[in-house]
Amino acid sequence: MLNWIKFLFLFLLTLGITITLIVFYQAEKPFAASSKVAEEAVLANNVLERVNKTNHFHGKTSWITVYGIDKKGHEKIIFVEEQTTKILKAVSIKDGITEQKAIANVKRDDDVQKILNASLGLENDTPFWEVGYLDSEDTLNYAYLNFTDGKRLKHITKL
């Protein structure tokens, strides 16, 4: 009887892990596919020579932020509309603040307990850093900082 209990336990554990992995894989597939399409669009239009990474951002519209190197060897960030793969804007990394600098600005100005994420977005043709964090009361907050100078654009608190 003890062997049956062990077998049942191991079977259910294996089944649970397998189902979890399948669900996560299926959930990630659309993101991976749209990232690949955006990368191909940027490379096909000769905007970048090499792609380093991509991020998804969902604001008023959804787009993919593509990081890479152009033909001159400069690091660039390209904003690609997710649905149409239209290139919305290209900015040079050296023209703005880094992710670490954006996080440091938020930590300096706000009561930050834990940084959740920092991602580059685009709104009204202005690139910005969206920094999500928890404060000391464990409430969700978002700070939006201008990419070029790091100044606060807006702040959403106590979600």
Side-chain angles (χ1 to χ4, degrees), residues 1 10 22 30 40 43 71 79 81 102 109 111:
M1 184 67 160
L10 287 175
I22 290 170
E40 289 171 355
L43 293 171
K71 288 182 180 180
F79 296 95
E81 191 173 26
D109 296 339
D111 173 29

Side-chain angles (χ1 to χ4, degrees), residues 117-129:
N117 69 325
S119 55
L120 201 55
L122 184 70
E123 190 173 292
N124 299 327
D125 207 38
T126 303
F128 63 88
W129 284 104

Side-chain angles (χ1 to χ4, degrees), residues 102-112 114-115 131 152:
I103 290 171
N105 287 356
V106 171
K107 284 183 176 179
R108 182 192 68 221
D109 296 339
D110 297 332
D111 173 29
V112 176
K114 179 182 178 185
I115 296 290
V131 181
R152 178 97 27 131

Side-chain angles (χ1 to χ4, degrees), residues 107 111-117 132-136 138-139:
K107 284 183 176 179
D111 173 29
V112 176
Q113 189 71 22
K114 179 182 178 185
I115 296 290
L116 300 175
N117 69 325
Y133 66 93
L134 297 176
D135 61 14
S136 60
D138 274 344
T139 57

Side-chain angles (χ1 to χ4, degrees), residues 128-148:
F128 63 88
W129 284 104
E130 177 192 64
V131 181
Y133 66 93
L134 297 176
D135 61 14
S136 60
E137 299 172 1
D138 274 344
T139 57
L140 179 61
N141 300 277
Y142 287 98
Y144 295 85
L145 307 174
N146 191 313
F147 172 73
T148 54

